[in-house]
Amino acid sequence: MSKQTLKMFGSGLKWLFIFAIVLVFQPAKAQDITKFDSLVNRLRPVKTVQQVKPPQATRKIRQLSEIEPVITSAQMLLVQSPTPNNPPSQGDEVVQVTGVKANPTNQGVEIILQTTKGQQLQVINRTSGNNFIADIPNAQLRLPSGEAFTFRSTKPIASITEITVTNFDANTIRVTLIGESSVPAVELSDSPNEGLIFSVASAASVQQPQTQSTQPENQTQPKPSTQGDQPIELVVTGEQDGYNVPDSSTATRTDTPLRDIPQSIQVIPQAVIKDQQITKITDAARNVSGVTPLSGYGGFIDDYTIRGFTNYNVLRNGFASSDSFTYGANVERVEVLKGPASVLYGQFEPGGVVNYVTKQPLSSPYYAAELTAGSFSFYRGTTDLSGPLTTDKKLLYRLNVAYENSGSFRDFYHQEIFSVTPVITYKPSENTTLSFEYEYGRRRGSFDRGLPSGPVFLTLPVSRFLGEPSDFLNIDYQRGTATVDHRFSQNLQLRSSFSVESTFDNNVYTQSGTDFEPDGRSVLRGKIANLNRRTENYSWQTDLIGKFNTGSIAHQLLLGLELRRNTDINPIFDTDDIASIDIFNPVYGARPGTLNKRLFGTKINTTGVYLQDQVTLLSNLKLLVGGRYDFVFSDNSAKVGDADTTYTNFYDSAFSPRVGLVYQPIEPISLYASYSRSFVPNNATTFSGVSIEPSRGTQYEVGIKSEFFDRRLSATLAAYDITKTNILTTDPDHIEFSIAIGEVKSRGIELDVAGEILPGWKIIASGYLNDAFISKDNTIPEGRRLGNTPYHGATLWTTYEIQQGSLKGLQFGGGIFFVGSSITDPSDPFTVPSYLRTDAAISYKHDNWRAALNFKNIFDIKYYDNQGYYLVPQAPLTVLGSISVEF
């Protein structure tokens, strides 16, 4: 290990230790103190039982005018129940809450958790500052679409700033009411026909009973008006307007709170995508530590470098997808799982994987449209429509349509993009959901790979184009998914999905090298064409999820099978060298020479079987263990010119385990450690004809996850050590063949923070140190850094929205994006300089309208994305304006 690595890793562990001390010994809340009788018993928190009076069930929804005055201290009628840290036993039924309603009343508002089993719900409450918090430890919020969502209502009545209903963990719903100046006054009741009802009184209505008591007894009280008692079903879109997302399915293929996952996973929600006005979905990952989006192949391949390793595949709703272009107008959020993902998804690099989660149908009507225009002739329009197609809401739909017509700061560049994504969800019964999703996308426009890597090219204007104006890239893609989700009982679920993806593209581009003519000004070039390239991916996944107990230990078992076929037919035409170009005074119009055809074909069949168990050893001690066995068959063909076609076949198998432990000493803190492995087939043979085993990645990770400000803000601090072995290197005795003795290491520390500090003040930030280097190789010096892997980086984005007064709805935002220097390629390193980009934004929303202005790169710095052999110039000062409306 190099001295630099030791210094960095030691510094990282020091800060990790300091952070742990600060979190563990932060001032404890009242509910936390009861968990500690002694340090010896820290692993087994003390169970506290409140002696309370159960609520009386009602046959109708009681309005505040019909019940006795509420208690202003925010006490409420409670059932004797477990706390979130002492959940109900496995035998207790987890009640499904299928919707949330807000009904205004004369006295305030009623929040109704819709379920036919309201009497079975157990409730425990507490207060924190002006917050009233109620936990329901035997329930789960799940809408008819089958997805878990968060309900949020801002300023529903006077004196209430916000109401949220969310899944706190897999078996607990949390209801939070934020008072404007004091704790909200709440009454609890239940109804067999509606569910659990939280009746919330406004500040004025709390005082009203005292006024009425001074009137004569025989005076008739005014009859409450029923006009305000008509139910108003608020739109529960599943799109959080905050930056903090509490759960994810990417890491476990089940809805699991992030705090219970022994691995770093970060989520970029729709709110961040909107506030930053992200028009290219890969840019969302710039908010995540240790992640570098790539702009390769003209910016139309979704590649990412994560913790030093580049993945040429992504996930879409959990399905492995090729590296083809994703427009992203239908993407709800972007989830980044750090570290090996092979335990659930098969062959992936050990750095991590990005999962695009798409928008799903809503149970309430929702209509939205947005128009964006900006610098460099950028124009984009989107529509998002959703709601029920039948009165019983068993048939739901969602339709996203987007069109973009844009130029660029780069010479001769123009593109036109269109996408349409319909989704249908049908729920024939309470326990069965059928979903059908289709996406079609089309792109027509210029092809621009950027500039060759080298010092002289950094001196050119960022607009300089060294190809030919006639270069183009045309893409058509289609994706379709069908899913059946059936619950046999509360403890047994079957989910089966089939996905088809097809991409067809044509492109012709001019490739510039780094070799110059004798004049030192003209660079050599060649012409390449990929005509009628077609890729097809077929995937079938079936998961069986079961919950059961072994004594006092609770299990959630996942058994899965995946069958996948990937084909790629790629006819490539290249030419002899064409006319070189003067990089300082370019003259265009060179014609290609003789075309030479090369035809490559690949077909990969994968069978994967995986098993995972999420074990609750204690309420605050959780174990995640799993493994996957993959069988991979690869057929490859190649033909150059008129030569005979050559065929090569490979068979690989690999077992990918993962084990992790999460310990939660107090409620807001999770300490975790994990071990996991990954694999990627090498598809190569030695000189003697022996097939080379796959490369293997092994990661050890430890970290701390914590939640602040009553769980509105979350933070993850992680330290990791990854070693990838069995990497192909050149055989020194037979240079046309390879041997697998290469090894690389990646070690680092990362911090990610996201959420809301104060009402209206949101933040998402990250920072990292990463030392990724070659530890063994035949030709490259050991210790040299990996390509496109900055040693350090940091981001900060924050917004503040005015909450009241005449300027309510006005929001200001800004952020910085720092990326350290990196080398292009270890075999021929060239250092790409670091940069610090500054952005700003201002927006205003009133009722259902929103207008926004985003300023990107406001200091107009000159910077580049590192693509190995290419430097991709990034945009100078850019202004985007948008106006949107929702109904």
Side-chain angles (χ1 to χ4, degrees), residues 509-528:
Y509 67 94
T510 304
Q511 180 169 286
S512 303
T514 56
D515 296 327
F516 285 84
E517 299 281 10
D519 63 4
R521 300 171 56 95
S522 301
V523 68
L524 300 178
R525 301 186 299 168
K527 202 80 168 181
I528 293 181

Side-chain angles (χ1 to χ4, degrees), residues 45 60 122 193 200 233 247-248 262 267 274 338 378 452 505 529 542 554 576 650 661 666 696 738 780 864 877:
K60 65 176 181 177
Q122 306 167 356
N193 298 324
V200 188
E233 191 167 342
D247 50 29
S248 166
V267 181
K274 286 182 177 180
K338 310 280 193 68
F378 182 92
D505 67 80
T542 298
D576 300 328
F650 300 96
L661 193 66
I666 58 177
R696 299 304 304 258
S738 299
I780 302 174
Y864 304 82
L877 172 62

Side-chain angles (χ1 to χ4, degrees), residues 403-717:
Y403 174 77
E404 177 183 320
N405 193 311
S406 59
S408 172
F409 65 97
R410 300 278 289 163
D411 294 337
F412 311 114
Y413 189 92
H414 175 267
Q415 69 175 1
E416 186 178 40
I417 302 174
F418 170 77
S419 73
V420 57
T421 309
V423 187
I424 296 292
T425 297
Y426 176 54
K427 195 174 181 66
S429 68
E430 182 180 353
N431 296 319
T432 304
T433 302
L434 309 177
S435 298
F436 306 91
E437 181 172 351
Y438 172 77
E439 179 180 359
Y440 169 74
R442 182 188 69 204
R443 192 267 182 187
R444 301 289 183 267
S446 308
F447 194 123
D448 178 15
R449 298 209 72 170
L451 300 171
S453 61
V456 67
F457 298 101
L458 295 178
T459 65
L460 301 178
V462 293
S463 61
R464 183 63 43 85
F465 181 62
L466 299 182
E468 288 294 322
S470 59
D471 293 353
F472 70 90
L473 170 64
N474 297 336
I475 301 175
D476 292 87
Y477 67 84
Q478 300 181 74
R479 302 183 181 107
T481 304
T483 301
V484 179
D485 192 328
H486 178 72
R487 291 182 177 272
F488 298 97
S489 68
Q490 293 293 335
N491 297 321
L492 187 61
Q493 176 186 1
L494 177 68
R495 181 177 59 234
S496 185
S497 300
F498 181 72
S499 175
V500 179
E501 179 182 76
S502 175
T503 303
F504 184 81
D505 67 80
N506 289 280
N507 65 77
V508 174
Y509 67 94
T510 304
Q511 180 169 286
S512 303
T514 56
D515 296 327
F516 285 84
E517 299 281 10
D519 63 4
R521 300 171 56 95
S522 301
V523 68
L524 300 178
R525 301 186 299 168
K527 202 80 168 181
I528 293 181
N530 294 300
L531 300 178
N532 301 320
R533 179 183 181 183
R534 179 180 294 275
T535 61
E536 294 180 348
N537 300 321
Y538 301 89
S539 300
W540 178 45
Q541 297 175 352
T542 298
D543 295 337
L544 184 64
I545 304 169
K547 300 178 182 179
F548 61 94
N549 268 18
T550 54
S552 61
I553 298 175
H555 301 261
Q556 182 171 243
L557 195 67
L558 169 72
L559 174 63
L561 170 68
E562 180 178 25
L563 303 176
R564 188 165 72 226
R565 168 174 287 186
N566 309 96
T567 61
D568 185 351
I569 307 301
N570 187 13
I572 299 178
F573 299 84
D574 58 4
T575 70
D576 300 328
D577 290 344
I578 65 173
S580 57
I581 191 169
D582 187 334
I583 65 173
F584 301 107
N585 186 26
V587 177
Y588 303 96
R591 295 182 176 277
T594 304
L595 288 174
N596 303 306
K597 182 178 181 180
R598 296 177 290 162
L599 178 63
F600 297 96
T602 302
K603 181 172 67 176
I604 302 173
N605 292 320
T606 302
T607 300
V609 181
Y610 45 94
L611 181 66
Q612 173 186 273
D613 194 6
Q614 295 172 258
V615 187
T616 303
L617 301 171
L618 298 171
S619 62
N620 64 341
L621 185 63
K622 298 164 187 177
L623 173 70
L624 176 64
V625 59
R628 170 168 167 148
Y629 214 107
D630 278 278
F631 307 88
V632 184
F633 301 85
S634 178
D635 296 327
N636 303 277
S637 62
K639 182 176 182 179
V640 179
D642 296 327
D644 294 335
T645 302
T646 59
Y647 298 93
T648 53
N649 302 307
F650 300 96
Y651 165 74
D652 293 290
S653 62
F655 176 68
S656 304
R658 174 176 63 179
V659 59
L661 193 66
V662 179
Y663 169 54
Q664 294 154 343
I666 58 177
E667 188 176 293
I669 295 177
S670 297
L671 309 177
Y672 73 88
S674 64
Y675 160 85
S676 53
R677 300 198 73 192
S678 67
F679 83 100
V680 175
N682 277 313
N683 289 343
T685 60
T686 64
F687 173 75
S688 59
V690 177
S691 181
I692 298 177
E693 293 291 319
S695 63
R696 299 304 304 258
T698 302
Q699 174 184 272
Y700 298 91
E701 181 177 329
V702 295
I704 304 172
K705 299 181 181 182
S706 186
E707 295 170 318
F708 305 92
F709 305 110
D710 208 21
R711 304 196 181 279
R712 297 195 307 271
L713 184 78
S714 65
T716 300
L717 181 65

